[in-house]
C-alpha cells in the first residue's frame, strides 16, 4: 500500500496524489535542483512494488529483497543509488518478547522509496518531525535516510532498555532468598539479545560509512548526523554485549544458588533425621527383652525414657541450630 | 559420468552430443564471441576427468582436487581460469543428520566444467532455471557460477532452518516439565552445526570477491547477483553462530534443570522418610518394656497410638505440601 | 552553572568575570596569538549551554550530546574543533559500587569549554595544578585537554585498584575454610567491571590519536603527554580484563568448593547415621521375642548389650575419623 | 649425521659422495644454471652442522636454532636465503599420544640443507618420490621445500584423523549407557590437540607467503603447489578447532551424564529405603506392648502382618517402577 | 645507585669512573664514531636519576616513568632516542609464585642508560657475556638492548617452564585416585599466568619492530638478533595461552571428579544402609508380639534369625560388590 508520497522543494512539502497509476508523473515532478520525492509503502503487493520499481528504475535484485522480508540489515550500491535494509525492533510487554520488522530504503539522487514490513516503528511521525526541520530537509534524500535511521535506532535503544529492565528483574530473582527457576527466563532473554544483535550489529558498518560521507547519495553535510546515529548503534551494540555477559554470570550464580540450596536442604533433612534417630535408639534400647534391666522396673522409668528422648532432641536441635544445619 | 553438456550462444542452449571421445570437438564449438560451454559431470572416473582436463587444459592440481572429494571450500586462480570448490549440504530427516557433498567448478573464459560428488543438491534444475533467464545467461560463464552458487546457498538456508527447527524442539524439551535427556541431542546438533560452519564460512571470502567483481572470469555485470549470494552466505553463517550459542545456553539450562530436579527428588524423598520415621518412633516408644507405662493398659491405647501415627503423618504431609517439599 | 572561566596568556591566568550575559566579551578576549579561554560548566541548564554554544559557535549535535549525559566516550571532529566525551568513574566505599559521571569537552583553536555531569572527578584542582605548570600551559588548549584526561584516567586507576582490592577479598573469602556465599559478590563485581570497561575501552582510540598528534587542535608538542595517558588507559583496560577473568576462575572455584562441602557434609551425616544404625540394630536384636535367647537371661546381658553398642560406636567413629569421613 | 646428498641438474639426480670433509667440493659442484644441491642431515652433531654452515654460508642464528630443536615453526629470511622450521607430528598408537619432531630447512638460490630432529616423518621417501617427478624438480630448491612441506602436512592430516577417531571413541563412551570416566581421556585429547595446534597454526602464514610467490628463493611456478599445501594446513587447523570444540561439548555432556546418573542412583536407593521402611513400620506397630491389641491374638495375625509387609512392598515396588524411580 | 658504567669503543670496554658528579664527563667521552656508553642504575633515587637525565638529556616523562616502577612494558620514541620498559619475571620456589621487577632502558645514538627495579634478572652477567662478543658489540647501543632483551626473555622461558612443571603437578593431582583439593592451586596458577601474560604480550609488538629494523637507534644489522628474541617472546606467549587453556580443562576435570566421587560415596553409603536395614527389619519382625508366631518357640529360632540376618547381609554385600556400589 502506498502510504504517503510528497515532493520536497526547498525544505517544503508539496503533497502528491499518488496511486499506482500516476507514479510516472510523480517521478517526473522533480523539476528544480534540490527537489526530491519520498514515496512510502507499507507491505506492498508485488504489483505495487513493480510499478514503483519501474517508475524509479530500481534494480530488480533489490526489489526482490524488498518483497521477501527477512533480509540481513545491509547497505548496497546499485548504479548511482543505494539500497538499505534495516531491521525494526519493538518490545512486546505481554510476553517479554522482541518482535522484528523490516524497512527497505531505495535512495536515489532525487528520491527515496521506503518499504516497511511488520507493525513496528512507523515512519509517519518520523516524516512529520522531519518536515518541521527545514534546514535538515535541505540535505535532500539523506535527510530522509537520517530521519528513518534515527527513528529506528531510537527504537533499538528502547528495546535495549526494556531488556536491561528484564535483566535487572532476573538478577533480583536470582539473588532473592526464595527458590526461583530462572534458567528459562535467562535462556529466553539470551535469545532475545541474540535477535537484537543480529539486527543491530550489521548496521554498524553502513552507519559508519554514512558518517564518513563515503556513500554516493548521502551528502557530506549530513555526515555529522549519521555520526550521531552510528554512535547510538555502537552504544546499543555494547549494551547488548554487556547484558549478554551479565546474563551468563547470572546464570552461573543461579547454578551456584541451586547447589547451595540443595546443600542446605540436605543438612536440614539430616539434622531432623538425627533427632528422630536418637529417639528411636532410646526406644529400641528399652524395647530389649533382657530379664535384668533395672530401669524397666522403676516407677517413672517410662517417663524417664521419654525425658531422655526429649532432652536429647532439644540438645541436638540446639547444636544443629548453632552450627547452621537447621 | 558426463551428465549434460551444451553450448550457450546469445542466451540460447545448443545441445552437444558429448561422450569422452568427442570432447575436443565440444571444446572447439565456441566459434562466436559470447559463446560458452557447460559440461556437467557426476562422480566421474579418473579417465573421464582426465579426458575433460585435457580438452579444457585444466590445471593438474585442480583436477587432482576434483578427483578426491573432501576439500575445503575454496576459490583458486589457475592462469586465466578459476577453480571453485563448494560443499553441498542436505538434511536427512530420518536421522536428523546433515550430509555433505561437493561441487567443483572449473571456469574459463568460455567454458564451465562442473564436477559433482555425493547425492545432494543436483544441478539439473539449476540448469533448466538458468536457461529460462536469457538476460542472465548473457553474462557468460559467470551466469552458470551464479546459478550453481545460488542453488547451493539456498540449500544451506534450508539446512539452517531444519536445524533451527531442531533447536526449537530441543528448547521445548529442555524446558518441558518431564525429565528429558537432552545432552546427547544437543551434542549431535552442535556437531552438525560445526559441519555446516565448515562448509559455509570458507565461502564468505570467495563470494565477496565475486561480488566486488575482482575475479577474472566473473563479469562485472553479474557482481550484484553474487552480492546477493554473499549476503545469503553471511545470513546462514550468522544463523549458525546464533544457534550454536543458543544451544550452549540450552545445555546450561538443561544442567540447571537436572540439579533442580535432583533437589526436588531429594526433598520429596526426605519428606516421606520423615513421615515414616515419626510412625516408627511412636511404635518404638510403645514397644518399650517398662513395667509402668499407663497407656499400655488403656483399652483403646493401641488404636490411640495408631491414631497418633496417622495424625502426625497427616500433619507432616500438610506441612511438607505447604512448604513445597512434596 | 558556570564554575570558572579564565583567559590564559603566555602560561598566565587572567580571570574573567563570566556570567551568561558577557560570554561574547569573554569569547573576544583572545587578542594575542597563543591566548586561549577555558570556561568550566557544571550541569548547566539548557539556557546556559545555549548561550555558551552561541558564543563559541559549537555544533548543535555536540551541544545536544552535552545536555543529555549518558553518552559513550567518544571523540568527534566538528569543523576545525573537536568534541570529546569522557566518562568519570569513582568508587563509593559504602556499597562497593562504581558510580559514573561524564565530562564533555568542546575544544577549539583558542578555547576549551568543559561540561561536567555528576559528582565524580572535579576539575577545579586539575585547573589549579595545570596553572602551576607554565610550560605545559604553553601548549594551549591541548594542555587543558591533557590535564583533564590525565585527571580522569588517574581516577580510573584508583577505581581499578579499589576493584582489585575487592577481588582480593573475594578470593580470600572463596578459599576460606568457612562457608561463604560469594556468588552475589562476584556477580556485582563483574557488573562493576563491565561498567568500567564501557567507560575505559572506547577511550583507547581517542587517546592514541592524540598521542600520534593526528587530531587538529591537539598540538604536536603535547603528543608525548597523551602517549602517557594512552598508556594508562591501556593499563587500566588490561587490569580490568585480568580481574574479570580472575573472577570467572574464582567463581568456578567457588562452585567446586560448594560441591566439595556438600560431599563432606554428606559423608559426615552418613557416618553418624551408620553409628546410630548399629545401636538400633543391636537393640532390635535383643528386642526379638524368641523363647530361647540365652543372652536375655544373663544377669549383665543388658549392660553387655549397651557395652556392645558403645564399643561398636567407638570403633566405627575411629574408622570414620581415620578415613576422613568425620 | 649426513644422510644423503645429491646434485640435481635438469631434473636428474647426480649422487655426491659427501662427508664432513668434502662439503666445499659439494658446494661448488653447481656449475650450470638450474643446478642445485640437497644435503640431508639427521640430528647432526655441532661439528657436522658447523662444517655445513661454513660451506653453505648459513647465518649463525639460524644454525643455532637448528641445533637446539624445540623452535616454533617459522619462516625467516637471511640475506637472499630462507630458513624454515617445521614441526613434524606422528601419532603413537600404544599410548594415544602425539609425538613431535622438527625439520629445519636452509634454502638458498642453489641449495637446500635439511636438518631433521626426532623419529617422525622421514624424508628419504619424500626424496625418492620427488626424484620421479622431473617437471617438479625443475622448479629448483622450491621443489624440495614443496616436497618436504607436503610430506609434513600429510602427516598432520594423518594425526588429525587419528585424533578424530579418538574423539569418536570418546563420544561413544560418553553416551554409552555404562558408567564411564571420560574426563581424563578428554583432558589428554585436549592436550594433544593443543600440541597439534602449536605445530600447525604458525605454519599457515609461511605457506600462504609461499603460495603467493612473495618469498625470494621460492619460484613463482611452484606457487600453486604451495597453495595446495596451504590449503591442507588450513584444513587441519580447522579440523583441530572443530575437534577441540566438540570435546568441550562432550565434556559438558559427560558432566550432565554424571549428574543424571547420581539422580537416578539416588532415586533407586530412596525407593528401596522406602520399601524397607514400610516393613519396619509394620513390624514396629506389632512390636508395641499394648495390652489390648486384637490382631495379636488372631491365629494368623503373624502371617497376616508378614502378608501386609509383602503386599505393601510389592505395591510400592510397582509404583516406583511405573514412575521411573526403580 | 649507579652500578656500572663504561665506554665501548670498537667492541672493547673502557671502564669509566662514574658517580653522580662526573656524569657530564662520562657523557662527553664518546669522541670517536661508533663509541657508546652504557650506564647501569639499580633502583636509583630521584637525585641520581635527575643527574643522569640531565647529562643524557632524557625526556622528563620517560624519566618519571622510570622512577615509578609498575609500568606496562612499552616502547616509546622521544626525539631521536627510544625508551623501553621491560618487566622482569622470576619464579620463587618457596611459594610457587612469580615475582615481577622492571627494567627501563633509555637508548640514544651513542648511549644506553639502564634502570633496574626489583631483585630479578640482573644485568651484570648479561654485560659480561656481551663484552665477550666483540662482533655483536660493534652494533652499538642496539647490542646492549639485544643483550638485555635476550636475558629478560630467557628468564621468561624459565618462568614458563616452571609453570609448566606446576601444571603437570596439578594435572597429576587432579587425576590421582586420592581426593584432592586442586581448585585453589589452579586458581593461583591462573593468576600467575595472567601476570606473565601481562609482562610478555605487550612486548611482542616492540620486538617485532626491532626485528624489522624500523626503530631509529636499533641498527639494521642487529635485526636478525631481535627476530630471535621476538620469536622467543611469541613462544612464551603461546605456551602461556596453552597452559591457561589446559588449566581450564583440568579444572573442569576436577569438578567432574568431585561429582563422580560424591556419586561413589553416596552409593557406598546407601549399600551399607541397605545392609543394616535388612538386619533391622528381621529384628523388627521377630520383635512383634503376636501370640502365635511358630518360629519364636523353635529352640534355635534366635540363632536362625541371626543367621538370616548374616546371610542376607553377605548376599547383599556380594550383590553390591558385583554391581560396583561397594
Amino acid at each position: 500500500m502506498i502510504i504517503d508520497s510528497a515532493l520536497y522543494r526547498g525544505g517544503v512539502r508539496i503533497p502528491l496524489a499518488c496511486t499506482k497509476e500516476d507514479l510516472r508523473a510523480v517521478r517526473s515532478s522533480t523539476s528544480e535542483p534540490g527537489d526530491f520525492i519520498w514515496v512510502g509503502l507499507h507491505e506492498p503487493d508485488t504489483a505495487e512494488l513493480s510499478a514503483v520499481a519501474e517508475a524509479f528504475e530500481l534494480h530488480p535484485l533489490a526489489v526482490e529483497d524488498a518483497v521477501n522480508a527477512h533480509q540481513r540489515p545491509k547497505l548496497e550500491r546499485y548504479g548511482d543509488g543505494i539500497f538499505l535494509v534495516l531491521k525494526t525492533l519493538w518490545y512486546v510487554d505481554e510476553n517479554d518478547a522482541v518482535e522484528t520488522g523490516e524497512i527497505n530504503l531505495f535512495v536515489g539522487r532525487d528520491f527515496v522509496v521506503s518499504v516497511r514490513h511488520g507493525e513496528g516503528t512507523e515512519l509517519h511521525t518520523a516524516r512529520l518531525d522531519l518536515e518541521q526541520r527545514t534546514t535538515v530537509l535541505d540535505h535532500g534524500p539523506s535527510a530522509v535516510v537520517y530521519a528513518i535511521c534515527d527513528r529506528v535506532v531510537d527504537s533499538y535503544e528502547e528495546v535495549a532498555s526494556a531488556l536491561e529492565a528484564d535483566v535487572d528483574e532476573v538478577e533480583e530473582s536470582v539473588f532473592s532468598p526464595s527458590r526461583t527457576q530462572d534458567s528459562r527466563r535467562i535462556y529466553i532473554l539470551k535469545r532475545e539479545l541474540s535477535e537484537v544483535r543480529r539486527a543491530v550489529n550489521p548496521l554498524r558498518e553502513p552507519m559508519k560509512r554514512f558518517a564518513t560521507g563515503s556513500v554516493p547519495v548521502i551528502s557530506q553535510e549530513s555526515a555529522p548526523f549519521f555520526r550521531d546515529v552510528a554512535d547510538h548503534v555502537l552504544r546499543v551494540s555494547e549494551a547488548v554485549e554487556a547484558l549478554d555477559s551479565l546474563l551468563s554470570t547470572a546464570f552461573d550464580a543461579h547454578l551456584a544458588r541451586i547447589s547451595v540450596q540443595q546443600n542446605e536442604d540436605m543438612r536440614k533433612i539430616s539434622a531432623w533425621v538425627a533427632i528422630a534417630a536418637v529417639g528411636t535408639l532410646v526406644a529400641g534400647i528399652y524395647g530389649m527383652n533382657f530379664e535384668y534391666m533395672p530401669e524397666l522396673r522403676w516407677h517413672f522409668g517410662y517417663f524417664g525414657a521419654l525425658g531422655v528422648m526429649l532432652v536429647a532432641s532439644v540438645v541436638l536441635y540446639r547444636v544443629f541450630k548453632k552450627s547452621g544445619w537447621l
Side-chain angles (χ1 to χ4, degrees), chain A:
Chain A
M1 203 165 41
I2 298 177
I3 297 278
D4 193 3
S5 64
L7 171 70
Y8 295 88
R9 175 172 294 165
V12 177
R13 174 194 172 101
I14 303 172
L16 296 171
C18 183
T19 64
K20 247 194 304 180
E21 284 69 34
D22 40 29
L23 276 162
R24 288 201 168 273
V26 166
R27 180 69 185 99
S28 52
S29 60
T30 56
S31 49
E32 297 183 16
D35 282 13
F36 70 92
I37 303 159
W38 179 2
V39 179
L41 299 150
H42 183 227
E43 295 183 348
D45 54 37
T46 319
E48 266 173 336
L49 200 54
S50 302
V52 173
E54 201 188 344
F56 290 91
E57 291 166 29
L58 308 177
H59 194 283
L61 279 172
V63 173
E64 205 182 307
D65 280 351
V67 175
N68 331 322
H70 307 302
Q71 298 296 315
R72 272 184 85 237
K74 62 177 173 180
L75 168 64
E76 282 182 6
R77 254 180 93 166
Y78 287 102
D80 55 353
I82 61 171
F83 174 59
L84 179 68
V85 180
L86 300 166
K87 301 300 272 189
T88 55
L89 296 178
W90 64 101
Y91 186 84
V92 182
D93 259 333
E94 290 94 82
N95 49 1
D96 289 13
V98 175
E99 300 283 325
T100 59
E102 200 172 309
I103 293 174
N104 301 281
L105 297 179
F106 298 87
V107 189
R109 210 178 30 77
D110 57 0
F111 69 89
V112 178
V113 175
S114 62
V115 181
R116 189 159 67 80
H117 292 275
E119 285 309 308
T121 322
E122 50 74 271
L123 300 178
H124 188 58
T125 54
R127 193 192 277 252
L128 293 180
D129 286 1
L130 181 61
E131 286 166 0
Q132 304 304 316
R133 302 169 73 183
T134 322
T135 52
V136 178
L137 255 181
D138 251 3
H139 298 167
S142 29
V144 176
V145 176
Y146 162 67
I148 292 172
C149 289
D150 192 47
R151 180 61 45 109
V152 165
V153 172
D154 274 0
S155 73
Y156 289 173
E157 298 215 311
E158 284 163 29
V159 166
S161 52
L163 290 172
E164 227 158 292
D166 280 0
V167 169
D168 283 352
E169 278 177 38
V170 161
E171 181 183 313
E172 214 168 292
S173 164
V174 162
F175 294 111
S176 75
S178 64
R179 284 162 200 279
T180 53
Q181 295 223 0
D182 303 311
S183 56
R184 174 167 210 157
R185 185 95 193 267
I186 293 174
Y187 177 83
I188 288 172
L189 275 172
K190 284 210 149 209
R191 210 178 48 190
E192 305 297 333
L193 285 173
S194 156
E195 192 95 55
V196 176
R197 198 185 284 120
R198 281 161 85 181
V200 175
N201 287 4
L203 216 61
R204 290 188 297 198
E205 198 50 35
M207 289 305 130
K208 221 197 230 155
R209 283 170 61 200
F210 287 166
T212 54
S214 61
V215 179
V217 294
I218 302 300
S219 68
Q220 279 290 348
E221 53 206 334
S222 59
F225 292 88
F226 284 108
R227 219 154 58 187
D228 206 62
V229 175
D231 205 66
H232 287 213
V233 169
L234 261 185
R235 205 162 64 198
V236 171
S237 166
E238 285 175 2
V240 164
E241 291 317 314
L243 285 179
D244 191 74
S245 129
L246 261 187
L247 276 177
S248 297
T249 313
F251 187 86
D252 287 347
H254 175 56
L255 262 186
R257 194 150 199 93
I258 292 172
S259 283
V260 166
Q261 278 171 349
Q262 175 155 355
N263 212 348
E264 280 170 5
D265 286 351
M266 205 182 61
R267 292 158 81 194
K268 190 177 282 179
I269 292 161
S270 307
W272 285 114
V273 163
I275 289 172
V278 162
T280 305
L281 180 61
V282 170
I285 287 171
Y286 291 112
M288 293 194 293
N289 294 318
F290 287 100
E291 288 195 345
Y292 180 64
M293 288 175 70
E295 299 95 317
L296 294 184
R297 292 190 191 128
W298 296 352
H299 191 71
F300 293 105
Y302 170 49
F303 301 103
L306 289 184
V308 165
M309 288 180 195
L310 198 71
V311 167
S313 300
V314 169
V315 167
L316 276 179
Y317 182 83
R318 293 228 171 134
V319 168
F320 287 132
K321 203 79 187 173
K322 213 167 151 190
S323 62
W325 285 56
L326 270 176

